Amino acid sequence: MFDRTLDLDLYNTQEFIDAVKSLALARPDSPVRALLSLPDKRHQTGNRIVGLTQRLSSRIAIRRLADDAPDRPDAFLIADRHAYLKRPFADDSEGLVDMHGRREAHRLHVDFEQMWEHAETDIEIRRLHL
């Protein structure tokens, strides 16, 4: 998943949390990853996806886009490398879902991997176990 923030309206619903948890537990070889370009503390405080990430840290990871990375206006979510949801403008709620868009899903996956490699762990999300 690539988005600007962990928008509470989109990513804090029980249905979304349940889907992420099921996916993370069902596929240990494929961790769930989220990449944020503009992390916002307001969206992280009390966000259930952050709590889930802290509990399942070996299966779910959230990183922050590197400061020197080019700005992207879009947001997307890739599922099983052949389905995707893409919002051309992250601040807009309109988007496209294609359950059989293997070519575009692959292109988005390549973009995501390049951004992920240069991303940083968001210290606001990490939990210290003492």
Side-chain angles (χ1 to χ4, degrees):
M1 176 180 81
F2 172 73
D3 208 330
R4 291 181 178 254
T5 65
L6 288 172
D7 187 297
L8 294 174
D9 292 335
L10 295 173
Y11 305 118
N12 205 36
T13 66
Q14 192 59 50
E15 293 83 8
F16 184 78
I17 301 303
D18 291 343
V20 169
K21 183 178 179 181
S22 293
L23 181 62
L25 295 175
R27 310 239 353 237
D29 59 325
S30 297
V32 175
R33 299 181 296 167
L35 183 57
L36 307 175
S37 61
L38 297 171
D40 185 341
K41 280 181 147 179
R42 293 173 297 152
H43 289 119
Q44 294 173 10
T45 304
N47 194 316
R48 290 184 266 184
I49 194 73
V50 171
L52 184 63
T53 299
Q54 292 169 339
R55 287 190 311 278
L56 298 175
S57 60
S58 65
R59 306 279 178 102
I60 304 171
I62 299 175
R63 288 188 182 176
R64 180 175 52 87
L65 198 59
D67 292 335
D68 61 349
D71 189 33
R72 287 185 65 136
D74 62 341
F76 57 85
L77 186 140
I78 308 163
D80 295 331
R81 297 195 187 193
H82 66 270
Y84 68 92
L85 176 145
K86 182 175 181 182
R87 296 187 336 259
F89 300 100
D91 296 332
D92 195 358
S93 61
E94 292 185 27
L96 169 72
V97 174
D98 189 342
M99 301 305 285
H100 304 286
R102 186 176 302 270
R103 181 174 288 159
E104 180 66 7
H106 176 72
R107 189 188 69 74
L108 292 170
H109 178 75
V110 168
D111 288 353
F112 183 89
E113 289 297 326
Q114 290 173 348
M115 292 186 296
W116 185 263
E117 289 302 315
H118 297 95
E120 304 164 347
T121 301
D122 191 346
I123 60 172
E124 298 293 331
I125 292 175
R126 287 192 351 205
R127 174 193 249 171
L128 293 177
H129 296 281
L130 300 176

